[in-house]
Amino acid sequence: MKVVLEHLTKIFPSRNKKSNEQVVAVNDFTFEIPDGKLIGLLGPSGCGKSTTLYMISGLQKPTGGKIFFGEDDVTELTPENRGVGLVFQNYALYPHMTVKQNILFPLQNLKGEDKLTKTVMLERAYEAARLVQIDDLMDRKPHELSGGQQQRVAIARALVKMPRVLLLDEPLSNLDARLRLQTREEIKRIQRETGITTVFVTHDQEEAMSISDMIVVMRLGVLQQIGAPQEVYDNPVNLFVAKFLGTPPINVFEGVVKGEKLYIGEQAVLDVKGAADQEVYVGIRPEGFITNPEGEFTTNLINVEVMGRDVSIVSKHPNAVSETIRSIVDADSAIDRDATTVSFSLKPHKVFLFSKETEQRIPFEVK
Amino acid sequence: MVDSKNKWKAWLYLSPALVLLGIFTVYPIFNTVQLAFLNGYNIWEAMDGKMFTIGIDNFVKVLNYPGFLTTLKTTILLCVLTVPVSTMLALLIAVALNSIKALNRLLQTIFFLPYVTNSIAIGMVFATMFNMIGLDPATGIPQTAGIINNFLSIFGVGPVNWINPGSTYEANMFVMCVYIVWNALPFKILVLLGGLQSVNKQYYDAAKVDGTSRARVFWRITVPLLSPMISYVLITGFIGGFKEYSSVVGVFGEGMGPTGDKELQTMVGLIYDSLGEVGTGEGFASAAAMILFVIILAVTILNLKVSNKKVHY
């Protein structure tokens, strides 16, 4: 089931009666989620990603715009009539019911024609439980389960009524680091096995990048970029997206384009054919540096961190926006640790230029 | 933990409370048990140094007291009829209060007013509301003064003799039950509303997404999640219910009935009255108090047993 958002807008009225300040949580969203894909809504807190999710679920009414599931306009439908499964951030498992009762609960709500017999309900509950591998925990209460197990129960409860769309609100935020890795693969597996269009919300870019078929980057209620994770990473449309994706984060410098050459400080570091003369922000991915004693870009060396497979060089530059610059180079690179400076050549496709005024991407020709 | 060197300080600070508790709570309890089991206890004779034999004469006297069974019946009925009703009503009102936003504060205040109002004063208001002066001797037309009878007359009902001389036990009990339920509501609403407000809203969102009907949300989610509070108000309600006394005084005066003939005597009333016979009534009062205590204890244990099975903490 594809999900289409058309000019979706959510405005929260001001809480303070004296000021009329409204909060535009979601501002004119238009995008299409293809059928059967796993989509990550990504952005810092307060960017409207959860609000978007809750509007898709029907728990919140949009102020404007429309939501379609396939060809059906569901904007005015109540949550139960949309056929969505929702997994809450803290799972919201009913604490007084066993796992089995929790999973059965949505099925027992069905009325009229949809009403199921007890045997069918149990079959479906066990089927969902097996899918998330908790069928041996059916008689436990939620408080007897670990966080990861509770999460699986919540997913089973959302899946048992065979929703058209599965929604997950920060599904991994309540899990510890190890479980998080495991669970995100699990979510990917469940999504692939069921083929249900799945939307999840996260503020963790790594999480979103690693399992999503498509990521939607948001900021302050405004859609920034949408695309396959690698595509967005390699081609950020603006400085925010570039900064938000990637660990370690992108290094940002203040620079100038003059005569199709990019200057950071006094050094001409790269040919940027096609870019007009102007002041720019320069974003260089950590993996965009190559150590080269004759390199065009020299920085003040601070530290070299060995990570085994590769080496992380921490250095400083007066034109850098952040305190330090972090570059990741091959472990075989020859680095003089006692030197006060380190010189690099740059990989042109890992360097992005952004307008200083609009912070939008400035294209240039990469040879 | 208080370290052992400073323990005497802890005891020192506790001592005023302990002394008061000892004099006004602990000693009377022991004294009551003691008096209940002394046959033919009489203060004046005791002061002369007379010793009394230990026995159950006082209990026999209480059980053989002519009004005892009616008293017990009234006490149990007032409790058993009102506690479930007031709890259920309080639950519904609390859920309603919790779900409306407009005038929430005002409504909470209104519902809480009975709690801060003197129960005798409320009783007098109820007495006035349910009043009926009687039939006009000249015309035979009933003259009513109470708002309830005036209201009923709109529908051509009544007037009912609720509380005036000549009224039935059932009518009296009905008025008492209405009064007690109404008087018991605020505390219960307060406790349940507090409980409701601490329930995570996401349970309701989850139920909504799954298309749960309102009745099912109430019975399968709200009630179980509130069960610790419900059990608390039920248990304290039953304990309080068995001690009903001032409510009857409020409506009927110290006569405890329409003609002042103790028609609605309660256990606490019985104890209180026999204490009035200074010097000789204490044994009887103590025995009656012990009987009441045993009843309350039994009901509370039963309540706890049931709630252990039904309450989800």
Side-chain angles (χ1 to χ4, degrees):
Chain A
M1 187 69 50
K2 78 176 180 190
V3 175
V4 182
L5 308 183
E6 265 183 27
H7 303 291
L8 196 65
T9 301
K10 177 74 184 180
I11 298 170
F12 288 109
S14 148
R15 286 219 188 126
N16 188 343
K17 278 178 195 161
K18 279 174 195 159
S19 78
N20 285 322
E21 233 176 281
Q22 294 173 330
V23 178
V24 184
V26 174
N27 194 351
D28 198 19
F29 264 36
T30 301
F31 64 83
E32 184 178 322
I33 297 167
D35 181 30
K37 296 287 185 200
L38 180 59
I39 305 307
L41 293 182
L42 176 63
S45 54
C47 73
K49 54 193 189 299
S50 285
T51 309
T52 307
L53 193 82
Y54 284 123
M55 282 195 286
I56 298 175
S57 78
L59 284 174
Q60 280 182 5
K61 270 194 159 278
T63 316
K66 285 194 178 310
I67 302 168
F68 296 89
F69 285 3
E71 301 306 319
D72 308 342
D73 182 351
V74 298
T75 319
E76 296 298 322
L77 289 185
T78 52
E80 67 265 28
N81 294 324
R82 292 190 183 194
V84 292
L86 179 56
V87 177
F88 290 87
Q89 186 170 2
N90 57 7
Y91 319 136
L93 296 176
Y94 306 120
H96 53 284
M97 298 184 198
T98 62
V99 169
K100 195 197 289 173
Q101 289 167 329
N102 263 290
I103 300 176
L104 281 172
F105 195 82
L107 296 180
Q108 290 162 341
N109 286 333
L110 298 174
K111 271 176 278 188
E113 287 173 26
D114 303 329
K115 209 171 158 74
L116 302 170
T117 63
K118 274 197 175 141
T119 341
V120 176
M121 281 195 230
L122 267 180
E123 251 170 51
R124 296 249 308 251
Y126 271 95
E127 199 185 319
R130 265 193 300 277
L131 183 69
V132 297
Q133 297 169 348
I134 46 150
D135 44 324
D136 51 338
L137 304 172
M138 292 297 257
D139 294 315
R140 302 254 191 107
K141 291 269 180 74
H143 66 88
E144 296 167 316
L145 303 178
S146 69
Q149 290 168 331
Q150 289 184 24
Q151 161 109 66
R152 285 156 189 257
V153 178
I155 294 177
R157 186 176 67 178
L159 285 175
V160 73
K161 50 182 184 174
M162 300 181 184
R164 300 199 281 180
V165 179
L166 179 64
L167 306 168
L168 304 134
D169 188 10
E170 298 268 4
L172 307 174
S173 63
N174 282 357
L175 303 175
D176 63 48
R178 196 178 60 83
L179 214 54
R180 207 173 288 180
L181 278 178
Q182 201 186 328
T183 308
R184 74 186 192 197
E185 278 151 32
E186 194 75 352
I187 290 173
K188 181 79 202 168
R189 175 185 68 80
I190 293 164
Q191 194 273 328
R192 212 181 291 130
E193 277 178 31
T194 56
I196 294 175
T197 309
T198 304
V199 183
F200 78 103
V201 155
T202 180
H203 59 266
D204 183 337
Q205 52 91 19
E206 207 181 320
E207 208 171 285
M209 304 258 292
S210 59
I211 58 170
S212 308
D213 296 315
M214 221 167 105
I215 57 171
V216 179
V217 186
M218 301 169 62
R219 180 199 190 190
L220 298 172
V222 181
L223 179 70
Q224 304 289 310
Q225 193 168 3
I226 177 166
Q230 193 66 49
E231 190 185 306
V232 178
Y233 182 81
D234 287 338
N235 264 314
V237 295
N238 59 30
L239 184 61
F240 172 79
V241 175
K243 285 207 286 203
F244 199 72
L245 297 185
T247 29
I250 198 164
N251 301 293
V252 182
F253 303 87
E254 286 175 328
V256 182
V257 175
K258 219 188 288 168
E260 298 198 323
K261 276 195 180 302
L262 171 64
Y263 291 87
I264 295 176
E266 298 298 311
Q267 312 173 66
V269 294
L270 199 68
D271 289 335
V272 286
K273 210 164 170 238
D277 290 3
Q278 61 190 304
E279 289 194 357
V280 291
Y281 284 117
V282 186
I284 309 174
R285 292 274 181 217
E287 67 273 24
F289 297 87
I290 308 162
T291 47
N292 176 1
E294 273 94 52
E296 303 84 356
F297 188 37
T298 304
T299 60
N300 302 317
L301 182 64
I302 293 179
N303 194 12
V304 178
E305 295 169 5
V306 180
M307 298 187 296
R309 190 161 38 90
D310 32 43
V311 170
S312 169
I313 301 171
V314 183
S315 59
K316 270 194 176 195
H317 191 278
N319 287 78
V321 172
S322 58
E323 181 78 1
T324 57
I325 310 158
R326 193 172 278 273
S327 38
I328 293 175
V329 297
D330 204 82
D332 301 332
S333 319
I335 304 156
D336 180 3
R337 286 157 184 269
D338 299 324
T340 51
T341 60
V342 57
S343 293
F344 301 102
S345 309
L346 301 178
K347 299 179 189 168
H349 64 284
K350 293 290 179 186
V351 179
F352 310 119
L353 301 186
F354 303 99
S355 152
K356 203 147 196 184
E357 282 164 35
T358 63
E359 300 193 351
Q360 294 300 310
R361 178 88 175 274
I362 300 164
F364 63 88
E365 248 175 70
V366 176
K367 275 174 273 173
Chain B
M1 261 318 274
V2 185
D3 78 72
S4 54
K5 256 192 230 162
N6 283 325
K7 255 187 184 156
W8 66 271
K9 266 191 190 169
W11 285 112
L12 181 72
Y13 299 147
L14 280 173
S15 58
L18 288 178
V19 168
L20 289 174
L21 276 174
I23 295 173
F24 293 107
T25 306
V26 180
Y27 169 71
I29 291 173
F30 282 106
N31 196 231
T32 305
V33 177
Q34 192 190 14
L35 293 183
F37 287 100
L38 291 178
N39 290 340
Y41 178 80
N42 180 317
I43 288 182
W44 317 118
E45 289 173 22
M47 286 199 293
D48 292 339
K50 185 179 169 188
M51 301 298 278
F52 301 94
T53 53
I54 293 171
I56 55 164
D57 281 9
N58 286 322
F59 291 93
V60 175
K61 255 196 252 171
V62 173
L63 295 177
N64 286 329
Y65 178 75
F68 177 72
L69 282 182
T70 325
T71 302
L72 194 62
K73 183 177 98 180
T74 307
T75 309
I76 290 174
L77 278 179
L78 283 180
C79 184
V80 172
L81 293 177
T82 61
V83 173
V85 174
S86 64
T87 306
M88 195 63 222
L89 273 178
L91 185 59
L92 293 175
I93 293 171
V95 169
L97 275 179
N98 195 42
S99 63
I100 48 175
K101 290 198 180 76
L103 303 179
N104 190 310
R105 295 266 158 182
L106 178 72
L107 288 171
Q108 278 187 33
T109 311
I110 290 173
F111 278 107
F112 197 61
L113 269 180
Y115 195 70
V116 291
T117 312
N118 183 294
S119 60
I120 301 288
I122 299 172
M124 290 167 79
V125 172
F126 265 73
T128 310
M129 285 166 62
F130 282 95
N131 200 7
M132 183 190 87
I133 291 174
L135 302 176
D136 188 314
T139 60
I141 297 169
Q143 293 185 314
T144 63
I147 191 170
I148 302 289
N149 274 328
N150 283 333
F151 177 72
L152 288 177
S153 69
I154 297 173
F155 306 98
V157 180
V160 179
N161 189 350
W162 295 108
I163 54 167
N164 298 93
S167 56
T168 61
Y169 180 75
E170 286 74 24
N172 299 163
M173 284 299 277
F174 178 79
V175 174
M176 284 318 303
C177 286
V178 172
Y179 169 92
I180 292 168
V181 165
W182 184 75
N183 203 21
L185 280 179
F187 175 71
K188 293 186 166 119
I189 292 173
L190 195 73
V191 171
L192 295 173
L193 195 59
L196 275 175
Q197 281 164 354
S198 65
V199 169
N200 190 335
K201 298 267 179 299
Q202 290 208 326
Y203 293 131
Y204 295 107
D205 280 344
K208 212 168 169 188
V209 171
D210 292 337
T212 318
S213 66
R214 289 177 73 135
R216 224 168 109 79
V217 168
F218 181 77
W219 288 112
R220 292 292 306 275
I221 298 172
T222 304
V223 170
L225 288 176
L226 272 188
S227 57
M229 285 80 185
I230 294 173
S231 132
Y232 172 73
V233 296
L234 271 178
I235 290 175
T236 54
F238 271 111
I239 293 173
F242 279 111
K243 297 192 294 184
E244 217 51 73
Y245 171 61
S246 59
S247 52
V248 185
V249 175
V251 177
F252 290 101
E254 275 184 279
M256 304 285 282
T259 60
D261 204 19
K262 310 271 178 198
E263 292 93 332
L264 295 184
Q265 180 68 294
T266 64
M267 284 299 285
V268 170
L270 186 67
I271 294 165
Y272 195 74
D273 283 352
S274 79
L275 280 175
E277 300 158 29
V278 179
T280 54
E282 287 82 357
F284 184 94
S286 299
M290 292 287 294
I291 291 171
L292 180 60
F293 167 72
V294 169
I295 294 172
I296 292 177
L297 186 68
V299 171
T300 306
I301 288 172
L302 185 74
N303 267 327
L304 285 172
K305 281 250 155 95
V306 174
S307 60
N308 276 345
K309 276 195 201 138
K310 298 269 175 199
V311 172
H312 312 280
Y313 290 104

